[in-house]
């Protein structure tokens, strides 16, 4: 085999791994976000209050956040292909459970377990990053991160499937997609280089790196926005403007699509520019568009403008932040991804709960959205103090 043939084969392996990892993540994210597009229907089926509904939406995010850390470490140690396949097999269990459940308590249990689908992000980033050099990490991780599109696909498809074929058909559909993803991954992807000598103690050493925690804080805001608004948009639109579930799902899909499609663009630009300088503007625009949303609950047009704007800002931020992840601790990309991804996913867990509680107490969503403005200002201050005017640089 010539050098050129070897390089071509290597490129085919790398891009096959990248595309399949992205598609598998999209399937997993459809399961992870399955309750949001169906929130109105589930609320009627189980007679849920606003706080009970937002708790249900937040519950899958919890396990998906916490388990990203060990799952990312396992991917580095044993290989992303193996871990991805085992993960998808596990997801089939709660999807099947949901079709047999008749109580809210058991629905919460199934929602917790289906949250494991959210850990697919840690596996996908660890697996995809192993095939690309440092100068292409922003592009590669931006592309694999487009698996977040599963939220948009779920918002577009699941309400329609439920309306035309029944509630249980949604979960039969998700199980079929998951099985297809397992088969494709098993047949077409090679295993990544692994670090069998690595222990959990050594992998957790990334927690000693201050950069791990700063990136986690920033991702708490940007990815937390993606998860929160993907889940809350149908509820906002239904409660504030009386929009039906299918149409509300279209708006939620619009937000998720904008946030996801722009992500690799953010990562690619960060390959060429200083990422931390880009994040300044991300936080500024998040604060601005959050204020737009805050004052838009009497204007559907203004709400959609704010939704699209905040999706663009958060999506670029997600791509920029993950450009920096492989630089924090060489050989521990999965572990750093786990930490950063876990905090980011927790950013999607708490807001729906807080917004639901505030809505129930005050009758308004505006105070909850204002907390988002304050979070963006906090992140801007930390970025300015530590990285812009400080001497810390993750990417030189």
């Amino acid at each position: 085999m010539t050098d050129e043939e070897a390089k071509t084969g290597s490129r085919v392996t790398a891009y096959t791994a990248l595309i399949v990892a992205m598609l598998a993540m999209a399937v997993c994210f459809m399961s992870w976000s399955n309750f949001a597009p169906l929130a109105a229907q589930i609320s009627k089926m189980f007679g849920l209050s606003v706080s009970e509904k937002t708790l249900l939406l937040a519950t899958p995010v919890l396990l998906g956040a916490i388990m990203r850390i060990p799952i990312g470490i396992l991917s580095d140690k044993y290989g992303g292909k193996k871990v991805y396949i085992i993960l998808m097999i596990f997801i089939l269990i709660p999807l099947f459970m949901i079709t047999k459940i008749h109580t809210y308590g058991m629905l919460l249990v199934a929602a917790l377990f289906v949250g494991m689908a959210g850990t697919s992000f840690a596996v996908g980033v660890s697996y995809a990053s192993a095939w690309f050099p440092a100068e292409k990490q922003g592009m590669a991780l931006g592309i694999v991160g487009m698996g977040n599109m599963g939220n948009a696909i779920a918002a577009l498809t699941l309400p329609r499937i439920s309306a035309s074929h029944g509630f249980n058909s949604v979960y039969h559909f998700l199980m079929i997609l998951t099985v297809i993803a397992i088969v494709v991954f098993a047949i077409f992807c090679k295993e990544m280089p692994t670090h069998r000598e690595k222990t959990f103690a050594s992998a957790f050493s990334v927690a000693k790196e201050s950069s791990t925690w700063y990136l986690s804080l920033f991702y708490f805001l940007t990815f937390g926005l993606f998860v929160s608004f993907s889940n809350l948009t149908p509820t906002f639109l239904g409660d504030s403007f009386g929009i039906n579930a299918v149409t509300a799902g279209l708006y939620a899909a619009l937000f998720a699509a904008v946030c996801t499609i722009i992500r690799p663009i953010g990562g690619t630009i960060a390959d060429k520019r200083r990422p931390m300088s880009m994040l300044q503007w991300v936080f500024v625009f998040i604060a601005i568009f959050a204020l737009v949303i805050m004052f838009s609950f009497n204007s559907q047009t203004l709400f959609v403008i704010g939704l699209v704007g905040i999706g663009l800002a958060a999506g670029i931020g997600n791509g920029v932040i993950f450009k920096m992840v492989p630089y924090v601790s060489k050989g521990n990309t999965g572990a750093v991804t786990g930490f950063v991804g876990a905090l980011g996913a927790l950013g999607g867990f708490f807001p729906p709960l807080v917004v639901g509680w505030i809505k129930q107490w005050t009758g308004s969503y505006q105070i909850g959205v204002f907390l988002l403005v304050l979070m963006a200002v906090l992140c801007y201050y930390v970025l300015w103090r530590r990285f812009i005017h400080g001497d810390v640089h993750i990417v030189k």
Side-chain angles (χ1 to χ4, degrees), residues 229 233 237 251-252 254-255 258 289 292-293 302-312:
F229 273 83
T233 294
L237 291 171
Y251 282 106
L254 170 67
F255 170 79
V258 166
F289 285 112
V292 171
I293 290 174
L302 199 59
F303 181 89
V304 173
I305 291 171
L307 190 69
V308 171
I310 213 166
L312 287 168

Side-chain angles (χ1 to χ4, degrees), residues 22 25-26 29 142-153 223 226 230 253-266 311-312 314-316 318-319:
M22 179 193 70
M25 190 189 300
F29 266 61
I143 291 175
V144 77
M146 287 182 69
N148 295 171
M149 184 68 77
N151 286 49
I153 299 170
F223 186 74
F226 169 74
S230 293
L254 170 67
F255 170 79
V258 166
C259 200
T260 301
I261 292 170
I262 202 71
R263 181 175 183 140
I265 297 174
L312 287 168
I316 290 173
N318 289 338

Side-chain angles (χ1 to χ4, degrees), residues 315-330:
I316 290 173
N318 289 338
V320 172
I321 291 166
F322 263 85
K323 157 67 182 179
M324 294 179 278
V325 162
Y327 289 86
V328 173
S329 180
K330 188 172 178 60

Side-chain angles (χ1 to χ4, degrees), residues 30 157-158 161 168-178:
M30 288 182 69
T157 59
L158 302 191
I161 292 171
N168 286 348
S169 296
V170 169
Y171 298 94
H172 298 151
F173 172 68
L174 291 173
M175 284 188 280
I176 291 169
L177 285 183
T178 304

Side-chain angles (χ1 to χ4, degrees), residues 62-235:
L62 180 61
L63 195 64
I66 295 171
M67 291 302 294
R68 284 185 177 196
I69 297 174
I71 290 294
I73 294 170
L74 288 172
S75 298
D76 284 342
K77 184 175 177 67
Y78 296 109
K81 177 179 178 178
K82 297 184 190 71
V83 174
Y84 227 144
I85 290 173
I86 292 170
L87 171 64
M88 288 188 283
I89 292 172
F90 176 85
I91 293 168
L92 292 171
I93 298 171
L95 291 177
F96 177 75
M97 284 176 60
I98 294 170
T99 65
K100 305 297 180 182
I101 285 171
H102 301 288
T103 67
Y104 177 63
M106 286 305 298
L107 189 62
L108 285 179
V109 172
L112 182 67
F113 289 146
V114 86
M116 282 297 293
T119 68
S120 61
F121 183 82
V123 189
V125 169
S126 174
Y127 181 69
S129 66
W131 305 100
F132 292 88
E135 64 272 14
K136 292 186 176 181
Q137 290 286 333
M139 176 275 297
L141 298 186
I143 291 175
V144 77
M146 287 182 69
N148 295 171
M149 184 68 77
N151 286 49
I153 299 170
L156 281 173
T157 59
L158 302 191
R160 295 174 184 275
I161 292 171
S162 182
S164 59
H165 299 288
F167 181 75
N168 286 348
S169 296
V170 169
Y171 298 94
H172 298 151
F173 172 68
L174 291 173
M175 284 188 280
I176 291 169
L177 285 183
T178 304
V179 170
I180 292 171
I182 292 169
V183 172
V184 171
F185 217 113
I187 294 174
F188 294 103
C189 291
K190 295 182 179 180
E191 186 57 277
M192 60 184 267
T194 57
H195 303 273
R196 291 297 181 94
E197 73 287 351
K198 189 176 296 184
T199 64
F200 271 77
S202 65
F204 271 101
S205 66
V206 301
K208 298 176 183 178
E209 300 280 351
S210 63
S211 294
T212 300
W213 296 103
Y214 284 112
L215 291 184
S216 296
L217 172 65
F218 300 152
Y219 204 58
F220 182 91
L221 175 62
T222 61
F223 186 74
L225 268 174
F226 169 74
V227 176
S228 297
F229 273 83
S230 293
N231 285 339
L232 287 173
T233 294
T235 298

